[in-house]
Amino acid sequence: LYLFLFISKSGFIKFKHYINNIKMKIFIKIINLVFFIIILNSNIAFSIEKIKIGLLVPLSGAHKEIGKSIVQSVRLAINKIDNPNLEILPRDTGSNPEQTLKSAKELGDEGVKVVIGPIFNENLIYLSELDNLTFLSLTNRIIDNPKNIISAGINARSQLKTIKKFQKNEKIKKTIFLIPKEDYKREIKKAILDSRIKTSKIHYYETDPTKLTKQIEKITRYSIRKQNLEDEIKRLENLNDESYERQIEKLKKRDTLGKIGFDSVIIADFDESLKSITTSLLYTDISPKKTYFITLNQWFDKSLLNETSAQPIYFPSINKENYDDFIKIYFKNFNEYPNQLSFLSYDLMGLVYYLIIKNELKIDEKMFVKKNMFRGKIGVFEIKNNKIDHILNFYKIEDNKFKKIF
């Protein structure tokens, strides 16, 4: 019995040591495996070439503050992405096409294939010479650009598609379009065709204030409607019927009488010129309470909040909540406020990185040919056939506030 107990205890001890040895070997193998994976990943990370993205902005001259703000915004985006292999190479356009071409060539020589910028449309004219580079210009112009330029700004086509959605939601039937005789007139005309927005009539106007009101009077048939009112008052007065006195008094408080022939007006204008148009519409007895006043992206111009007589006024735009958050983050980091293009450039950095990942880390022109969607801070980017459109939000200004509709 004692011998049996001794053997059993001895065997038990040996068995315990055996189990502990097995556990230790497994533990060592796991440690070695983890260490191997870390080394492997580190080697992969170091073996991947730098992802170089060019940035063409004015770093000198009259627009250098815009360029500085864009560079800072792109750096915010890079910090957010947090990939040590991502490298941004800023270069100066000097706000002139010759300097832009020179800087773009330098980026090409450094192995860059995709460039964010330039900002201004006039700086694009020589970039067709560099067909090995793709430029994401911050301009919203889409006509007559070189083939290697992709306009990434909030173009008129995207805006009119958003307005078209609003027309459908509100069952708007007759829309007139007011377009100033400015250099972007062609852009608006093309956007109308591309978006297939419904318009009953398109009017072109001179922005000269001395001519503007007369033009709006003609468009709104003001003189005819005013004459209609005078004729109706005279007709009722000539009846010499006391039962019409109250109706006559009501008519005398009005400015015009008769239909205007439209239920909404789209005004392709901005700033003081936009305010001049709405003032002329009000003068000709067109009320925003009865007729939809719609305009293009106003970037939440706070001065429009004071135009109470022209409210409500509707417009497509970027996501305001995200825009406000971006302004706060930017100010916290740089103790100054960004410009509007900074917000766009922040998203473009994210967009380019996203497309590179989707393209299996290959940087080439195919990135912008395939159909893709990217949700940025501005909104949703639609990419296809070297074109970028935006799915925008829609707002109205009413009661001195910006109110989101969709």
Side-chain angles (χ1 to χ4, degrees), residues 208-244:
D208 182 348
T210 60
K211 300 177 181 178
L212 185 58
T213 301
K214 285 291 181 185
Q215 294 172 89
I216 299 300
E217 285 181 4
K218 185 178 180 181
I219 291 167
T220 60
R221 299 170 60 249
Y222 178 67
S223 59
I224 295 172
R225 291 160 49 236
K226 195 168 184 65
Q227 188 62 52
N228 287 345
L229 178 64
E230 293 174 5
D231 292 344
E232 182 62 10
I233 291 172
K234 284 181 181 179
R235 186 184 72 79
L236 294 176
E237 286 177 338
N238 290 336
L239 293 175
N240 291 320
D241 188 337
E242 291 183 359
S243 63
Y244 290 111

Side-chain angles (χ1 to χ4, degrees), residues 135-269:
F135 299 88
L136 297 182
S137 173
L138 277 70
T139 178
N140 60 3
R141 305 291 178 94
I142 58 176
I143 294 178
D144 298 333
N145 285 337
K147 290 183 179 180
N148 57 340
I149 302 294
I150 300 174
S151 295
I154 313 298
N155 61 54
R157 180 175 57 221
S158 299
Q159 296 180 58
L160 294 193
K161 283 181 179 179
T162 311
I163 294 173
K164 183 180 177 181
K165 180 180 175 180
F166 178 70
Q167 282 181 323
K168 184 178 180 181
N169 291 351
E170 296 296 309
K171 298 179 180 178
I172 294 171
K173 301 296 182 185
K174 290 186 177 181
T175 300
I176 65 167
F177 215 122
L178 303 184
I179 304 174
K181 294 178 180 178
E182 298 289 343
D183 62 344
Y184 61 87
K185 180 176 73 174
R186 289 175 60 219
E187 292 283 338
I188 303 296
K189 288 175 70 175
K190 178 171 173 53
I192 291 172
L193 292 173
D194 290 348
S195 65
R196 297 180 182 178
I197 191 169
K198 293 180 180 179
T199 57
S200 59
K201 203 163 187 179
I202 299 173
H203 300 277
Y204 302 95
Y205 61 89
E206 300 282 353
T207 55
D208 182 348
T210 60
K211 300 177 181 178
L212 185 58
T213 301
K214 285 291 181 185
Q215 294 172 89
I216 299 300
E217 285 181 4
K218 185 178 180 181
I219 291 167
T220 60
R221 299 170 60 249
Y222 178 67
S223 59
I224 295 172
R225 291 160 49 236
K226 195 168 184 65
Q227 188 62 52
N228 287 345
L229 178 64
E230 293 174 5
D231 292 344
E232 182 62 10
I233 291 172
K234 284 181 181 179
R235 186 184 72 79
L236 294 176
E237 286 177 338
N238 290 336
L239 293 175
N240 291 320
D241 188 337
E242 291 183 359
S243 63
Y244 290 111
E245 286 183 3
R246 183 176 292 180
Q247 187 175 345
I248 291 169
E249 288 303 314
K250 285 184 178 180
L251 288 173
K252 285 182 177 179
K253 292 178 182 179
R254 297 184 59 168
D255 294 321
T256 61
L257 182 65
K259 295 181 179 180
I260 58 175
F262 56 90
D263 56 9
S264 63
V265 53
I266 299 174
I267 309 163
D269 220 328

